[in-house]
Structures are given as C-alpha cells and as structure tokens.
Amino acid sequence: MDVRRLDLLRELAERGSITAVAAATHRTPSAVSQQLKVLEREAGLPLTERVGRGIQLTSAGHALARTAGEVAVALARATSLWDEFRNHPSGEVRLATFPSAGQVLLPQVLQEVSRTPGLILSCADGDHELLDFPSLTADFDIVLAHSLRGARAWGGRGLRVVPLMTEALDIALPADHRLAGRSYLTAGDVIDEPWIGVPIGFPFERILHDIEEAAGRRATIFQRISDLRMVEAFVAAGFGVSLIPRSTSGGIDPSRVALKPLRGVDAERDIVALLRPDTAERLAVRTVLSILQAKAAEIEAVHAAV
C-alpha cells in the first residue's frame, strides 16, 4: 500500500470529510476520492461508506487508519534518527497557542530557537474552546492547551500530551480595594463582590461555581469577558474582581491591580503541549518542545504558590 494514500485515510479519520482532507492536503476533493478508491482496491475491503451526503469510515477503514498512524510514527522516527546522526534539527515547526501562554512563553522560546541555524518556529494564536485544542494538531506540530486541574480533556484522542506547567489562578482586585492588603482571600471574602466572569462554558467558570458552592450563595456577574487584557482593564477601573492566571498574566501593573491567592478552592490549571505521535518524533519538534519545557519550568519556579 502506498504510504501517501494511507496518510489520506488517516486525515479522513481525523477531519471527517473529503472536503476537509482536500483543503488540508492541497488537493481537489475528486483527487482525494480517487486516491482513497485506489487504496480500497489495494486493501480488498470497503474502507468508507455513504452516510447522507457525506462518508464515514467502516470498521476496516478505522483499523487501517490506526495502522496509517503507526506507519507515520515509524517514518518520522526514522527521519528523526537520521537528523540526530547529522546533529541538525532543521526545518519549520508550526505552533498554535492561546494568547496568555504565548505572551509569556514564546518571546523567550523564539530567542532560544533563533540560536539554532535552520530551525524555524512559526506561531499562531487564538482563543480556542477547550475541545478545539486537539483538532488543531492536524494543522500544527505543537499545540499549547490548558485545562483545569483534574480535567482530562485530551484522553482518547491518541495524542502525545506533554505537561509544561501548573498555574494558579489568583483573585484580581483593584489596587485600592479594601481587600488588597490581605495575604490571601477565601470564597467568603469575594463572593459578594461584582465579578468579571468568563463566557458561559469557558473553563474558568467552573472555579467561580466552586467559589459559589464554598460560600453558599451565588455571585453577581457584572460582565463576561474572555480576553485577559480586557479583564485586567475592567478590574483596574474598579468594576469588579476576577480570576487571573498568576504566571501568564505578565504585564499587570501592581499599582492598578492586585493579585491575591485563593484559599479553600482548587484554583489551578494545567498547561500542556499536544502533538500527533508521528509529529512528536521529529528532531526539530523535539528540540522546540525541550525549549518550551525549560522555559515553562523557569516561569513556574518564579511564580511558585505562595
């Protein structure tokens, strides 16, 4: 079987449609369909079946797609081994990040990567929903993702999950707030304050629900904002309090906003790197990932829990 056709089948398993595969592989839908038909003849079994206006993989198609993933890992491992013999982690590594992690991590990572000739790191950012992070690995080599502690959002996806750092979420207050002099705060201290919350369904919302449960009453939401810079501006202007990531909130002016640890409620998130198993074998990707891990460890140490 042709490796390139196997890879198209794997893409179909992950992307769900011929059109999406065609767009990702820079082919026409007709060309993708033709290659999959050839693969089906080689396999001697139906690999896809019609469902409404689209198609889906048969059980044989799913099995072969998993095998295609294993083949891709083996090929990537062989290429990586050759790169190691040459001692040259060259090529482009594509990275997707959410804004707060990108702001703090990527300037340092890019500086380190620039010291390796031939290694290029291309970055893209966006406010992605929790469940969107794994899908980004189809188009990016490394995806920086976050989830609350204990949440296992990435299980069952067949992805490599590399922990980078654990980050506390602090209570952000106006610098002149009556609670700003405290060393830490509890749910009872902040429940009656107006809140700058997150859009419904965003991960941080669960922590606010936990605060409500610990305090025994509901919080009043003044605004729901996803952008952390806007949240900080609203807090600084005195409109309310909010949850702000401690380590990746770089740039907060302590003369305008005070960050205080929250006690009695589990307010932490994990930041991880998500990768396809075959992508994770590439020497260039492993080199960038190693730099990411080192820089994240440095940041985590600076902002250790107080």
Side-chain angles (χ1 to χ4, degrees):
M1 295 180 185
D2 188 282
V3 171
R4 290 167 296 184
R5 296 189 191 108
L6 285 172
D7 197 51
L8 286 178
L9 186 69
R10 182 175 69 142
E11 292 287 348
L12 180 59
E14 294 191 2
R15 297 180 186 274
S17 75
I18 295 290
T19 301
V21 174
T25 59
H26 308 290
R27 294 175 170 88
T28 65
S30 176
V32 172
S33 296
Q34 288 174 6
Q35 290 300 305
L36 290 174
K37 287 177 182 177
V38 172
L39 180 63
E40 197 167 62
R41 287 198 297 270
E42 292 175 341
L45 288 170
L47 301 178
T48 63
E49 58 187 2
R50 282 282 174 189
V51 177
R53 295 184 177 179
I55 66 169
Q56 67 179 19
L57 296 186
T58 62
S59 57
H62 280 293
L64 193 56
R66 288 192 294 271
T67 300
E70 296 167 2
V71 170
V73 170
L75 289 173
R77 190 172 292 147
T79 301
S80 177
L81 182 62
W82 182 244
D83 286 339
E84 288 178 1
F85 273 114
R86 295 166 57 228
N87 192 28
H88 191 49
S90 61
E92 180 183 18
V93 176
R94 299 163 299 165
L95 181 147
T97 183
F98 56 98
S100 57
Q103 177 185 2
V104 173
L105 276 170
L106 293 190
Q108 300 181 52
V109 171
L110 283 164
Q111 288 177 343
E112 188 71 24
V113 167
S114 68
R115 298 188 178 99
T116 302
L119 183 60
I120 300 170
L121 179 60
S122 299
C123 305
D125 72 305
D127 277 322
H128 306 289
E129 295 284 353
L130 190 66
L131 296 179
D132 284 344
F133 287 116
S135 64
L136 294 174
T137 59
D139 298 305
F140 293 92
D141 301 310
I142 300 174
V143 175
L144 300 189
H146 68 95
S147 65
L148 298 186
R149 296 303 308 276
R152 293 293 176 261
W154 328 123
R157 303 294 188 103
L159 298 175
R160 188 78 55 86
V161 181
V162 180
L164 295 179
M165 61 190 290
T166 297
E167 178 177 36
L169 301 174
D170 290 334
I171 300 294
L173 307 159
D176 59 357
H177 194 280
R178 59 183 176 80
L179 297 174
R182 301 274 191 93
S183 58
Y184 66 87
L185 299 172
T186 66
D189 293 329
V190 297
I191 190 63
D192 295 322
E193 300 291 326
W195 277 83
I196 313 300
V198 295
I200 294 173
F202 273 51
F204 292 4
E205 185 184 26
R206 196 194 81 186
I207 297 177
L208 183 52
H209 290 330
D210 291 344
I211 291 172
E212 291 175 327
E213 184 175 346
R217 53 191 182 277
R218 298 292 298 274
T220 299
I221 309 296
F222 171 68
Q223 298 285 343
R224 292 187 179 273
I225 303 294
S226 63
D227 183 85
L228 286 177
R229 302 290 83 80
M230 285 182 63
V231 171
E232 294 165 15
F234 279 29
V235 171
F239 291 118
V241 304
S242 191
L243 289 163
I244 293 288
R246 179 184 300 169
S247 305
T248 57
S249 60
I252 282 187
D253 183 352
S255 69
R256 302 178 67 221
V257 175
L259 295 183
K260 299 296 173 181
L262 179 63
R263 297 277 179 90
V265 173
D266 187 5
E268 291 182 316
R269 69 174 176 178
D270 292 324
I271 298 177
V272 303
L274 304 178
L275 308 88
R276 278 181 166 183
D278 55 317
T279 301
E281 296 293 336
R282 288 174 48 205
L283 181 58
V285 172
R286 287 192 284 121
T287 300
V288 172
L289 188 60
S290 178
I291 295 171
L292 271 169
Q293 289 175 295
K295 297 305 178 184
E298 291 174 8
I299 292 171
E300 187 175 24
V302 169
H303 297 276
V306 296

